[in-house]
Amino acid sequence: MPTEAFTNEVIDLDALPKYEEIALKQPHPDYWKIICINLFIVLGLLGIAAALILIFVEEMKNQTVLVIPIYLALSVILFILFRASFKKRGYAIRTHDVIYKSGIIAESTTIVPLNRIQHIELNEGIFSRMYQLGSLQLFTAGGQTGHIRISGIAIDEAKSIRDLLLNKLDLLENPGAENDAE
């Protein structure tokens, strides 16, 4: 009975591929319009609530001079943060994994190997449908932390990516299926 010698070689970290060098695909430009619509809705509701409080609560009427500039500053800050966040998002579909990058203050890059994906969901919101956009959500084995939601993809492209990933997943689960189809 031959025994194999145990080896534990040091890996040259400089020789590893760098995911940072991969050109990531940005969300569709129309996705910024959807973000703006959602921000206007939230800020509009917040503004209405603030106005109602200022009008109907006697103690708050003298705070109007303070509340309005805070509301306007909050609105501007939110638009700046969401715009910066929009520009930092990106994704890549590779042979063996999917990469998604987001965040401005805390930048996050998630790399999910295809063999960890359990299922894929394609979503179209009300405003997304208006602009022919969708979101792909990749659910992974191992909990919430590995899930990826890629928003702002043209719906035809999202369907193509979903089908491509489903075909790759099918080949991973049934390696002989590729030969059977020929």
Side-chain angles (χ1 to χ4, degrees):
M1 180 179 208
T3 58
E4 294 183 29
F6 175 75
T7 61
N8 194 7
E9 300 295 324
V10 175
I11 296 174
D12 180 12
L13 296 179
D14 294 329
L16 292 175
K18 307 276 188 256
Y19 73 86
E20 297 92 346
E21 296 171 358
I22 296 168
L24 299 177
K25 186 163 173 99
Q26 303 298 309
H28 194 281
D30 285 343
Y31 185 58
W32 172 243
K33 295 174 186 173
I34 295 169
I35 291 172
C36 287
I37 291 169
N38 288 326
L39 270 173
F40 279 125
I41 290 170
V42 169
L43 290 172
L45 292 173
L46 185 64
I48 290 169
L52 290 174
I53 289 171
L54 290 173
I55 292 169
F56 293 111
V57 177
E58 264 324 297
E59 297 84 30
M60 292 299 294
K61 285 187 179 182
N62 58 354
Q63 301 297 324
T64 304
V65 177
L66 184 63
V67 172
I68 292 174
I70 289 173
Y71 173 79
L72 293 175
L74 176 69
S75 299
V76 169
I77 290 168
L78 283 175
F79 273 98
I80 290 170
L81 286 174
F82 275 89
R83 184 63 184 175
S85 172
F86 174 76
K87 289 184 171 208
K88 295 288 266 180
R89 295 178 190 193
Y91 66 94
I93 312 297
R94 301 191 310 172
T95 308
H96 299 291
D97 57 28
V98 177
I99 299 173
Y100 182 67
K101 181 179 173 184
S102 64
I104 48 172
I105 296 169
E107 203 172 273
S108 170
T109 303
T110 306
I111 303 173
V112 176
L114 293 184
N115 63 356
R116 300 288 293 165
I117 297 173
Q118 290 189 327
H119 70 278
I120 302 166
E121 196 174 279
L122 177 60
N123 299 305
E124 294 178 75
I126 294 170
F127 302 120
S128 296
R129 269 189 251 127
M130 289 171 38
Y131 291 99
Q132 308 270 306
L133 300 176
S135 296
L136 276 176
Q137 189 161 4
L138 311 176
F139 295 90
T140 60
Q144 192 76 1
T145 57
H147 297 339
I148 296 179
R149 181 180 183 88
I150 306 171
S151 300
I153 306 173
I155 195 64
D156 293 335
E157 184 180 342
K159 288 177 181 177
S160 295
I161 292 170
R162 179 198 59 195
D163 294 344
L164 172 79
L165 291 175
L166 287 173
N167 287 336
K168 285 185 174 274
L169 291 174
D170 189 43
L171 287 175
L172 287 172
E173 290 177 11
N174 306 312
E178 185 177 15
N179 296 335
D180 295 342
E182 293 176 358

